[in-house]
Amino acid sequence: MGLSDTLAERFDVESHGSDVRTELVAGLTTFLAMSYIIVVNPFILADAIQIPGYEFFEVVQMIAIATVLSAAVGTAVMALYANRPFGLAPGLGLNAFFAYTVVLGLGVPWQTALAAVFVEGVLFILLTLVGAREYVIRLFPEPVKRSVGAGIGLFLLFIGLQELQIVVPDEATLVTLGGVFANPWAILGVLGLVLTFVLWARNVTGAIVIGIATTSIAGWALTLGGVFARGTVTPETLPSAQYDITPLAGAFVDGLANIDPLTFVLVVFTFFFVDFFDTAGTLIGVSQFGDFLDDDGDLPDMDKPLMADAVGTTFGAMVGTSTVTTFIESSAGVEEGGRTGLTALVVAALFLASLAVIPVVAAIPEYASFIALIVVGVMMLQGLVEVDWDDPAWAVSAGLTVTVMPFAYSIADGLAAGIVAYPIIKLAVGEGDEVALGQYAIAALLAIYYVLSTADLIL
């Protein structure tokens, strides 16, 4: 039996309607779509993590290693334990909260912030073991489950359009159409986007990978040829990597030594809340896109991918990075046909491989990697056809879920809006008895949380 047959049997690829080649391409696609985190996460966290005796770039390198290791471990657990094609890595938003709100804003030592992430991860492991996380997610109203994929798609689309400067800030209207043709990088990104859409429309396998790779190579060539400004990073301009992370790994232990109980609990709770709903929304949204949900809109054996998320977060805190979560960019691999943990295993392996070439991976231009977000975002909008728009409770709940995500720039906020709206509209139309007691409870807790948050009574 060859390696291909062994992998097919181990991950039960055939019964999931896939094949080994498709899974490998899907894994590469997801990794390329996620690879920006290797660069983005370190530069965000390095603003807050200052280690005496080390220069800024040295700290960035340490955090990059921690980012790669935590992504590889969390994604490997997803592959081997959950057998799902989802990639994990330190999440955007949560890392900004870690750096700018907790450490720089509240003055909490970065070691203590890592300790809070570690405690959150342990709590998630315990709650997942007893089935509590899966139970809560199963209580999400069905219109929320059916629309969250489109909401994430619109969120991805909005992010991608901004990154390519197709959409830019505007004082009068908040956003407006950007001057794409005044920026050579934006022009190249748009051309790469057009190429990717054309390849996808023609059912070319690996369309997103080809689009990202072609755009990156073109950008490097134009920079080296002097057409583009030399300020942009290319493989030949990057310094060599260093791999000593001892000042960072295990720092959470020191953070547990001296804590202010009230502040620490609030920080842990906020990490807990945002991570819980971000992960839930991503899992359901990507699963809907991949047709993994059952007739009730639930992901079978959801406790397994949730455990991968919890293990990744706990390990990430141990090596020195913020909360690890399932990435919405997993949709890129699912679109390429990824259906099993083999896709995730490829992602994990590529993260580990990137340790040897971290500078080169870091050279993938953002305008190339964000092509995947626009393409996948458009594709995920197809989930809107599953919403019963004639039912007021469905229309309001799903509508808010889809629109609040991009407008509030938060998957968690979009989910919360849909969850809170559902019982309210059900009561308004005289169908309150169709709402489960648990759904009322979750909606009430979320409403209380947001009231207190906007009143500046909690973080």
Side-chain angles (χ1 to χ4, degrees):
M1 180 180 292
L3 177 59
S4 178
D5 292 332
T6 301
L7 290 173
E9 182 178 343
R10 169 61 179 82
F11 293 98
D12 199 18
V13 171
E14 187 175 343
S15 69
H16 285 84
S18 185
D19 57 69
V20 171
R21 181 182 181 279
T22 299
E23 296 289 310
L24 296 179
V25 171
L28 176 60
T29 303
T30 295
F31 174 75
L32 288 176
M34 292 176 62
S35 62
Y36 68 87
I37 198 63
I38 301 175
V39 182
V40 176
N41 190 55
F43 277 95
I44 290 176
L45 294 184
D47 284 338
I49 297 177
Q50 299 180 7
I51 303 175
Y54 289 87
E55 298 293 333
F56 178 80
F57 184 75
E58 293 177 309
V59 176
V60 167
Q61 290 269 31
M62 292 184 201
I63 301 172
I65 302 298
T67 300
V68 167
L69 292 176
S70 61
V73 169
T75 307
V77 174
M78 181 68 76
L80 300 172
Y81 178 64
N83 196 24
R84 293 291 184 183
F86 308 141
L88 294 87
L92 290 176
L94 286 164
N95 55 7
F97 173 76
F98 178 105
Y100 303 119
T101 299
V102 177
V103 179
L104 298 178
L106 295 175
V108 174
W110 61 267
Q111 297 91 334
T112 303
L114 285 176
V117 175
F118 176 79
V119 171
E120 176 217 343
V122 172
L123 287 174
F124 272 155
I125 289 176
L126 296 175
L127 290 173
T128 304
L129 284 173
V130 299
R133 290 180 78 187
E134 182 176 4
Y135 172 75
V136 172
I137 293 172
R138 288 185 180 277
L139 284 174
F140 286 9
E142 191 172 355
V144 172
K145 295 175 184 176
R146 296 297 180 184
S147 62
V148 68
I152 292 174
L154 196 58
F155 187 27
L156 287 174
L157 182 59
F158 188 45
I159 293 172
L161 290 174
Q162 291 179 87
E163 291 299 327
L164 288 185
Q165 298 186 19
I166 297 174
V167 171
V168 296
D170 182 84
E171 290 187 4
T173 61
L174 297 183
V175 292
T176 189
L177 186 66
V180 175
F181 296 104
N183 186 328
W185 299 111
I187 294 173
L188 183 57
V190 171
L191 291 175
L193 177 63
V194 171
L195 171 65
T196 307
F197 270 127
V198 169
L199 293 174
W200 172 74
R202 295 183 63 84
N203 295 316
V204 175
T205 301
I208 296 175
V209 174
I210 295 171
I212 293 174
T214 302
T215 306
S216 298
I217 293 171
W220 295 336
L222 290 170
T223 301
L224 294 173
V227 178
F228 285 171
R230 298 286 288 183
T232 302
V233 175
T234 61
E236 52 91 28
T237 65
L238 288 166
S240 60
Q242 61 86 22
Y243 297 96
D244 179 18
I245 63 169
T246 50
L248 191 61
F252 78 99
V253 176
D254 296 331
L256 290 170
N258 298 304
I259 61 174
D260 175 72
L262 179 59
T263 301
F264 188 75
V265 168
L266 290 176
V267 171
V268 170
F269 175 77
T270 304
F271 276 134
F272 183 95
F273 170 82
V274 178
D275 188 23
F276 186 101
F277 285 97
D278 267 2
T279 299
T282 302
L283 281 176
I284 295 173
V286 178
S287 296
Q288 179 194 16
F289 188 57
D291 198 26
F292 302 146
L293 303 180
D294 59 24
D295 292 338
D296 296 321
D298 296 318
L299 177 63
D301 297 321
M302 186 184 289
D303 60 312
K304 292 184 177 180
L306 289 174
M307 181 59 76
D309 175 86
V311 171
T313 292
T314 306
F315 180 82
M318 293 171 67
V319 296
T321 187
S322 54
T323 305
V324 172
T325 187
T326 304
F327 258 52
I328 50 181
E329 285 81 1
S330 301
S331 305
V334 172
E335 166 58 26
E336 289 291 352
R339 292 295 181 269
T340 74
L342 181 53
T343 292
L345 186 64
V346 172
V347 175
L350 289 173
F351 267 113
L352 284 178
S354 72
L355 287 172
V357 290
I358 277 184
V360 176
V361 173
I364 295 176
E366 288 192 355
Y367 59 81
S369 64
F370 282 104
I371 286 174
L373 300 193
I374 297 179
V375 176
V376 173
V378 170
M379 296 170 187
M380 291 184 72
L381 295 177
Q382 64 188 11
L384 292 174
V385 301
E386 297 186 21
V387 176
D388 182 1
W389 294 104
D390 293 327
D391 185 314
W394 274 67
V396 174
S397 182
L400 289 176
T401 298
V402 170
T403 55
V404 171
M405 281 187 192
F407 293 157
Y409 226 74
S410 168
I411 296 173
D413 290 344
L415 276 175
I419 291 170
V420 172
Y422 182 73
I424 294 175
I425 304 302
K426 276 292 189 180
L427 286 169
V429 297
E431 298 175 354
D433 57 336
E434 296 181 6
V435 180
L437 181 60
Q439 292 176 327
Y440 282 117
I442 294 175
L445 289 172
L446 286 172
I448 293 171
Y449 173 83
Y450 279 97
V451 168
L452 295 178
S453 295
T454 54
D456 293 328
L457 295 180
I458 65 174
L459 294 178

